């Protein structure tokens, strides 16, 4: 129970620390030992510099913390080959972290990429369902 | 001059502390209440506010590391020509500015007021004149806080009353428990009346008594006696003019300091504090 609480605090501190600032490798390595996650963050940081992460919900179990979150940022850099549109996006994603010795050692993530592309104007917005 | 239909909201705001004490104690979180006014007169205190504050503070505590403090401060502020009650809730130990869950799931008009490296201040700001919940106003009138608290207490008292629960399905066991309760109540002011004395009075061995009582209530005889002493003492503080010391002696606590310790452990508030916030206590 205590470890789960500590893991939750660790993730709050980590996401708060990287939100709204340039996500340098030095800062990321303070919290992350998962190269895939670092690469993923770096690719988003390139497209959405200083992006912020808001934690809408959080659950902790064993070594894992699952966060339902939102990424908010402005598309100012190349993002997967897409030149900057300077549009501000706010889209949801869910991420599961696995924590060992105060480091994120692995993760799993699912993001609303379709929603992101709609907000960037790359895809036409889906019609509202009535 | 104060409108006669207005009530002081401060006791309700202060009562938030005992309401969340249990969850705070579990994480060794200290609660600190302060107010810039002696009283805050408002037409009424919405029931939703009470629940909303408890949930909000509990939610903040949930994300906090152990051994930290939640500071709650209440005051009146002027904004755009109107007066508002401002309740600021500041936590130490962690910066919660990115944890939107706290604001998202709160029913109150809460905003992030400020944040520093390892603390956050949230503010709940609501009108001094109008209800936060318009529906409550439309339904007309003062929210009877005391009546609702009493209703909830009665509901849980019934749920927790094993005699009432057993009387329909296991009448023999209900009668047994009634005898036990009577025996304890008859000897309540005797601080030497313990599990041994109860087993003697019931003409049972200590082991028999333990087995039977535990199967019915889940508690040992010693714990059961202590709980009855505490409940009676609490009732006396709620309904009588007895002082805290008198209530302690009347319910078989050898000393007021021991009573205060045991009472605080169970209810998360000292007997004197309980007496002060209790609207029904007669000797204010």
């Amino acid at each position: 129970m205590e470890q789960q609480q500590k893991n939750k605090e660790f993730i709050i501190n980590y996401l708060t620390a990287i939100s709204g600032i340039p996500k340098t490798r030095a800062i990321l390595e303070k919290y992350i030992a998962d190269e895939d996650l670092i690469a993923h963050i770096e690719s988003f940081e390139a497209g959405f510099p200083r992006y912020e992460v808001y934690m809408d919900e959080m659950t902790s179990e064993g070594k894992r913390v699952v966060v339902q979150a939102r990424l908010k940022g402005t598309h100012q850099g190349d993002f997967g080959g897409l030149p900057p549109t300077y549009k501000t996006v706010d889209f949801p994603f869910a991420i599961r972290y696995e924590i060992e010795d105060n480091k994120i050692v692995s993760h799993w993530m699912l993001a609303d990429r379709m929603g992101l592309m709609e907000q960037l104007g790359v895809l036409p917005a889906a019609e509202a369902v009535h | 001059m104060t409108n006669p239909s207005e009530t002081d909201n401060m006791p309700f705001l202060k009562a938030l502390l005992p309401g969340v004490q249990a969850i705070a104690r579990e994480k060794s979180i200290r609660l600190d209440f302060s107010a810039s006014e002696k009283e805050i007169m408002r037409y009424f205190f919405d029931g939703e506010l009470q629940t909303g504050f408890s949930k909000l503070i509990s939610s903040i505590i949930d994300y906090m590391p152990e051994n930290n403090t939640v500071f709650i401060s209440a005051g009146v502020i002027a904004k755009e020509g109107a007066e508002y009650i401002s309740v600021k809730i500041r936590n130490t130990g962690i910066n919660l500015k990115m944890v939107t869950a706290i604001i998202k799931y709160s029913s109150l008009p809460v905003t992030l007021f400020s944040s520093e490296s390892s603390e956050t201040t949230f503010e709940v700001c609501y009108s001094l004149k109008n209800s936060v919940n318009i529906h409550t106003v439309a339904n007309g009138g003062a929210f009877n806080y005391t009546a609702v608290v009493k209703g909830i207490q009665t509901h849980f008292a019934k749920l927790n009353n094993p005699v009432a629960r057993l009387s329909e399905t296991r009448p023999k066991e209900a009668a047994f428990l009634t005898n036990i309760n009577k025996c304890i109540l008859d000897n309540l002011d005797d601080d030497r009346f313990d599990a041994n004395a109860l087993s003697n009075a019931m003409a049972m061995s200590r082991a028999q008594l333990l087995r039977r009582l535990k199967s019915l209530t889940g508690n040992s005889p010693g714990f059961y006696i202590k709980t009855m002493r505490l409940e009676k003492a609490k009732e006396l503080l709620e309904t009588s003019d007895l002082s805290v010391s008198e209530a302690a002696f009347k319910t078989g606590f050898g000393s007021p300091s021991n009573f205060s310790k045991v009472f605080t452990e169970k209810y998360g508030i000292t007997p004197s504090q309980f007496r002060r916030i209790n609207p029904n206590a007669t000797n204010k």
Side-chain angles (χ1 to χ4, degrees):
Chain A
M1 186 69 186
E2 201 181 320
Q3 193 52 46
Q4 290 169 26
Q5 180 64 29
K6 282 200 174 3
N7 286 344
K8 234 159 112 172
E9 284 161 29
F10 172 79
I11 292 298
I12 293 173
N13 285 330
Y14 152 64
L15 288 174
T16 305
I18 66 160
S19 280
I21 60 158
K23 292 158 198 50
T24 61
R25 183 159 266 271
I27 291 172
L28 297 177
E29 282 180 348
K30 218 174 122 184
Y31 299 94
I32 308 169
D34 171 1
E35 272 305 319
D36 286 348
L37 181 58
I38 291 180
H40 185 80
I41 293 171
E42 284 176 338
S43 83
F44 261 90
E45 180 68 15
F48 302 87
R50 295 169 181 258
Y51 72 79
E52 294 174 304
V53 178
Y54 293 91
M55 292 159 261
D56 283 344
E57 192 145 349
M58 184 175 278
T59 313
S60 180
E61 183 72 46
K63 288 194 276 184
R64 293 171 173 181
V65 177
V66 180
V67 186
Q68 182 190 319
R70 277 177 301 113
L71 184 150
K72 197 173 169 186
T74 305
H75 182 206
Q76 300 176 67
D78 182 85
F79 178 61
L82 187 70
T85 58
Y86 300 97
K87 287 189 172 160
T88 295
V89 298
D90 183 342
F91 70 97
F93 66 97
I95 186 160
R96 189 210 67 211
Y97 301 101
E98 198 166 315
I99 299 147
E100 275 175 22
D101 301 326
N102 270 331
K103 285 269 164 85
I104 296 166
V105 292
S106 75
H107 79 288
W108 172 92
M109 190 176 80
L110 193 63
D112 179 13
R113 288 221 166 219
M114 194 85 100
L116 170 63
M117 292 304 161
E118 282 174 10
Q119 290 182 40
L120 290 176
V122 179
L123 282 177
E127 276 182 36
V129 178
H130 292 288
Chain B
M1 193 178 145
T2 304
N3 184 317
S5 66
E6 288 183 341
T7 56
D8 183 11
N9 273 218
M10 203 59 94
F12 298 113
L13 292 169
K14 280 183 187 163
L16 293 172
L17 266 66
V20 289
Q21 194 79 50
I23 186 168
R25 200 173 44 240
E26 221 167 79
K27 291 185 70 179
S28 305
I29 300 285
R30 201 171 74 83
L31 298 170
D32 180 290
F33 183 87
S34 63
S36 58
E37 328 274 329
K38 266 194 173 165
E39 53 180 31
I40 297 178
M41 300 308 289
R42 188 166 182 267
Y43 285 117
F44 50 83
F45 189 88
D46 306 57
E48 287 81 358
L49 279 175
Q50 184 82 20
T51 315
F53 272 118
S54 292
K55 281 186 181 168
L56 175 62
I57 297 167
S58 304
S59 159
I60 291 169
I61 290 172
D62 194 36
Y63 290 106
M64 285 171 66
E66 290 183 346
N67 299 311
N68 276 283
T69 307
V70 174
F71 295 92
I72 302 159
S73 57
V76 174
I77 57 165
K79 215 163 64 176
E80 294 156 5
E83 282 189 311
Y84 292 85
I85 294 180
S86 158
V87 180
K88 290 201 178 77
I89 302 158
R90 177 164 70 91
N91 72 273
T92 64
I94 195 164
N95 186 335
L96 297 173
K97 70 171 178 180
M98 304 311 284
V99 185
T100 37
I102 292 170
I103 292 175
K104 188 177 171 186
Y105 294 110
S106 175
S107 55
L108 299 176
V110 54
T111 52
L112 179 70
F113 185 77
S114 64
S115 71
E116 284 176 37
S117 61
S118 62
E119 60 177 61
T120 337
T121 304
F122 296 92
E123 184 184 35
V124 179
C125 203
Y126 56 97
S127 166
L128 202 54
K129 296 291 171 201
N130 302 316
S131 168
V132 177
N133 182 328
I134 292 163
H135 183 69
T136 311
V137 176
N139 282 343
F143 175 80
N144 194 341
Y145 173 77
T146 315
V148 170
V149 169
K150 277 205 174 300
I152 291 168
Q153 281 170 345
T154 312
H155 173 73
F156 281 102
K158 273 185 190 160
L159 280 184
N160 290 329
N161 183 344
V163 174
R165 209 178 58 227
L166 289 167
S167 58
E168 289 169 14
T169 50
R170 296 160 73 192
K172 262 192 179 172
E173 300 296 10
F176 168 72
L177 215 48
T178 306
N179 286 340
I180 293 244
N181 290 350
K182 186 176 178 315
C183 192
I184 296 172
L185 284 173
D186 288 346
N187 293 282
L188 208 62
D189 57 352
D190 180 359
D191 65 341
R192 289 162 307 171
F193 189 80
D194 57 7
N196 271 335
L198 180 62
S199 61
N200 287 339
M202 295 295 292
M204 299 172 86
S205 74
R206 182 97 191 254
Q208 277 176 316
L209 178 66
L210 172 68
R211 210 169 34 246
R212 206 159 163 198
L213 191 63
K214 193 143 185 135
S215 74
L216 293 175
T217 66
N219 296 321
S220 68
F223 186 87
Y224 193 73
I225 293 170
K226 191 171 92 173
T227 305
M228 282 194 71
R229 288 190 198 284
L230 276 170
E231 281 177 4
K232 186 69 187 172
K234 184 165 159 270
E235 185 191 316
L236 289 174
L237 291 175
E238 275 177 317
T239 57
S240 77
D241 284 340
L242 293 178
S243 70
V244 170
S245 300
E246 285 168 334
F249 288 122
K250 232 179 162 47
T251 50
F253 287 94
S255 72
S257 62
N258 178 42
F259 169 58
S260 182
K261 184 172 162 273
V262 177
F263 189 96
T264 310
E265 274 171 12
K266 177 154 173 81
Y267 299 112
I269 180 173
T270 66
S272 321
Q273 285 171 330
F274 179 78
R275 163 56 57 79
R276 275 199 295 275
I277 62 161
N278 193 316
N280 290 336
T282 49
N283 64 342
K284 284 176 186 172

